[in-house]
């Protein structure tokens, strides 16, 4: 939630001029996205979002992200549309960083989703998986099982300053997944970060999806596990079964889960909780001086992980038999 | 430059609904203003700015600020226009704070103003002083001479951790102004904070003024001194005489300065540099834990103050004889 980079006025104007989207009338830094700098632009034509990709985004991945947004929109999914220069370039450079302009999307993200929102998100996620099925590019998930041990190593002994015994718990949990991660589930393009701040609603209907900068090729059910983690827990970290039921029913109304996916769901939920616990922990322990962003509490995902460790099967998430 | 307050979705929607400005389509926290939380709203009617007034703004002053923006706009000055509910209320409460909605204003603020920008601002400031001349309300400047000693006391000995000997220099400078501050200069409504981030340009012409939340009743020439400080110095804190000339000529093209104002200008520049040095120093020494805002460097104004202390008369700012 921050604007990281200040852009000199003349550079901004010259960058926008290349896209042929009218004269620049207004630029506002906006509090959206945790990894990038975002600006709302108003031109004589329309409103747009300008994103400067900060360190976390690998410039080599941008053609995947930009191509994916175009592909999904072509198939009717509502997401930001990359704007291209007359010679067909979507990505340029601004203030020393890769940068792109996308269309402005109306919609409101909900801070406290209810079961109806969870149902909408489940359905929207399945539509995303369907729409992305024939996307020709692929991108390895760079935050999956092989990446978890290095993340735990980066946290190291400092993990225990956050919660006593945390480092040992992390190692034990990582070992479980390294030994038993399911690698033959139905897979394709997943969003991989579909938290409430990345989903827009209008009149309680899902109206759009944003922030595709973690999208990658991985198991569809892993994406669903990420959503169960980020949408269906209450503020006290208790799991809301009604919300889980709504999300799973919404998903299956478009794309029914296979038996293998259903069986794997508890482990996928554990794994995705572990992934966010690890990245949040590393961020928590490495807040740069003068940072403008408050890091997320890693222990939220430690508590969610503990819930998943006690789950017997997918019915505990609200899956109807 | 921050969004301080998170507003629950339902409270936001209910607040906006009271104003009858259409259905809410989008809310973005924006990085604008240092004292308040600002959100860009899109409704089915138009774009607006919603401001939540944080601690620094006294709710009792809001009728002055809101009334002033309406008064100035009625006289042709381009500034945000407060939106009123059908029963005539501009200020409401949201998330426990006073809040108001104003019209969205196009325009770009310049980070590195040139002499032409300075000329525009001088002229715009004089037009503001003219347009505000018959505004019936008044507000004491709460950051003027009588307030400087208490600010220095708040900084106290910690001032010397920022710059050796600073506290003693502050006391000596305050004593000069307490003894000799001119109190009979032409006065009226002043903006009192017309820094580059509060002035919009389109195609290098001044297109609007924003952020009237330091406006008060004080000497017009003091407002000009604030602008000389905030627009006419280079990044290395050297004074750019060409910019000063442009600003003073721009101002006088609308409202010629009196002999008393010209004579007082060096002291007013010293005083206004001292005012920003003091408030920045107190902010610098009191950054709250978890603050999302980087405080401004107080020593920038210590160096500007040193320049003004060496000035002989208004010609040193570029005033033509």
């Amino acid at each position: 939630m921050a604007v990281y980079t200040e852009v000199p006025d003349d550079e901004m104007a010259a960058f926008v001029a290349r896209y042929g989207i009218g004269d620049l009338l207004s630029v506002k830094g906006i509090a959206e996205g945790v990894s990038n700098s975002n600006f709302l632009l108003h031109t004589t034509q329309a409103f747009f979002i300008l994103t400067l990709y900060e360190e976390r985004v690998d410039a080599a991945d941008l053609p995947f992200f930009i191509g994916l947004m175009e592909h999904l929109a072509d198939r009717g999914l509502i997401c930001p549309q990359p704007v291209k220069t007359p010679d067909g370039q979507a990505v340029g450079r601004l203030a020393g960083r890769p940068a792109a302009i996308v269309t402005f999307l109306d919609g409101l993200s909900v801070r406290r989703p209810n079961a109806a929102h969870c149902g909408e998100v489940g359905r929207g996620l399945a539509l995303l998986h369907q729409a992305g099925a024939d996307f020709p590019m692929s991108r390895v998930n760079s935050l999956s099982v092989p990446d978890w041990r290095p993340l735990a190593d980066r946290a190291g002994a400092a993990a225990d300053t956050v919660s006593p015994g945390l480092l040992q718990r992390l190692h034990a949990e990582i070992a479980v997944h390294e030994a038993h991660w399911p690698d033959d589930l139905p897979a394709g393009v997943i969003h991989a970060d579909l938290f409430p701040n990345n989903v827009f609603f209008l009149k309680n209907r899902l109206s759009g999806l944003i922030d595709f900068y973690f999208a990658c090729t991985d198991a569809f059910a892993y994406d669903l596990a990420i959503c169960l983690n980020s949408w269906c827990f209450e503020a006290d970290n208790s799991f809301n079964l009604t919300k889980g039921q709504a999300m799973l029913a919404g998903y299956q109304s478009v794309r029914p889960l296979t038996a293998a996916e259903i069986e794997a769901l508890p482990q996928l939920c554990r794994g995705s909780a572990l992934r966010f616990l690890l990245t949040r922990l590393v961020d928590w322990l490495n807040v740069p001086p003068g940072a403008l962003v408050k890091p997320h509490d890693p222990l939220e995902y430690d508590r969610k992980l503990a819930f998943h460790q006690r789950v017997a099967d997918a019915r505990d998430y609200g899956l109807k038999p």
Side-chain angles (χ1 to χ4, degrees), chain A:
Chain A
M1 268 217 348
V3 180
Y4 289 84
T5 300
E6 297 219 347
V7 182
D9 318 318
D10 50 345
E11 283 189 46
M12 177 71 83
F15 182 84
V16 173
R18 290 183 51 225
Y19 288 85
I21 52 174
D23 293 333
L24 195 56
L25 299 175
S26 173
V27 177
K28 307 274 185 220
I30 60 173
E32 191 153 285
V34 289
S35 311
N36 301 316
S37 298
N38 287 289
F39 299 87
L40 182 78
L41 309 182
H42 186 209
T43 76
T44 43
Q45 282 188 13
F47 282 82
F48 300 89
I49 301 285
L50 164 65
T51 300
L52 290 192
Y53 300 98
E54 305 287 348
E55 280 178 15
R56 283 215 166 173
V57 174
D58 184 342
D61 287 331
L62 287 172
F64 176 87
F65 301 139
I66 298 285
L68 176 60
M69 286 190 271
E70 292 179 327
H71 178 96
L72 294 175
D74 282 350
R75 276 145 192 82
L77 207 89
I78 303 175
C79 63
Q81 273 308 282
V83 178
K84 290 185 171 175
T85 62
D87 59 343
Q89 301 297 311
V91 180
R93 283 192 78 80
L94 179 59
R97 289 157 179 77
I101 295 175
V102 299
T103 53
F104 173 80
L105 205 60
D106 274 320
L108 300 159
S109 54
V110 293
R111 266 182 247 280
R112 300 195 178 186
N114 58 32
H117 295 124
C118 293
E120 284 282 296
V121 170
R123 189 168 167 278
L125 186 73
L127 291 169
L128 164 67
H129 292 166
Q130 280 190 339
D134 60 341
F135 181 57
M137 302 172 77
S138 72
R139 176 177 176 264
V140 170
N141 185 348
S142 60
L143 291 168
S144 190
V145 187
D147 311 289
W148 295 344
R149 196 168 287 278
L151 283 167
D153 291 343
R154 276 191 65 193
D160 290 0
T161 64
V162 177
S163 172
L166 180 57
L167 187 61
Q168 200 205 318
R169 292 206 302 284
L170 290 172
H171 280 139
E173 182 69 17
I174 291 168
V176 168
H177 297 294
E178 286 176 340
H180 302 293
W181 193 252
D183 57 5
D184 53 357
L185 298 174
V189 173
I190 70 168
H191 184 285
D193 194 39
L194 201 60
F195 279 54
N197 54 319
N198 290 332
V199 179
F200 286 165
F201 291 89
L202 286 172
K203 296 180 187 297
N204 291 318
R205 299 303 301 266
L206 194 153
S207 66
L209 307 177
I210 64 166
D211 203 347
F212 287 79
Y213 302 110
F214 288 95
C216 55
T217 314
D218 206 339
F220 294 134
Y222 183 65
D223 220 8
L224 184 56
I226 290 170
C227 289
L228 286 166
N229 268 305
S230 56
W231 288 82
C232 301
F233 283 85
E234 298 302 303
D236 65 358
N237 293 305
S238 61
F239 185 79
N240 184 318
L241 195 68
T242 305
K243 294 181 182 176
Q245 284 170 347
M247 178 170 285
L248 291 166
Y251 189 90
Q252 296 213 92
S253 72
V254 174
R255 179 185 170 267
L257 295 166
T258 67
E261 287 177 304
I262 290 168
E263 194 191 332
L265 198 60
Q267 188 180 355
L268 298 174
C269 285
R270 278 174 73 161
S272 58
L274 177 62
R275 169 259 187 267
F276 287 100
L277 169 55
L278 284 165
T279 51
R280 286 186 175 195
L281 178 64
V282 169
D283 288 346
W284 187 267
L285 294 172
N286 293 280
V287 176
L292 296 178
V293 176
K294 280 190 194 180
H296 292 294
D297 179 12
L299 295 182
E300 175 190 332
Y301 272 86
D302 193 30
R303 295 182 202 104
K304 289 177 176 176
L305 176 58
F307 171 83
H308 299 307
Q309 289 168 334
R310 292 190 304 268
V311 155
D313 61 42
R315 284 173 299 187
D316 290 348
Y317 297 117
L319 195 81
K320 301 284 184 172

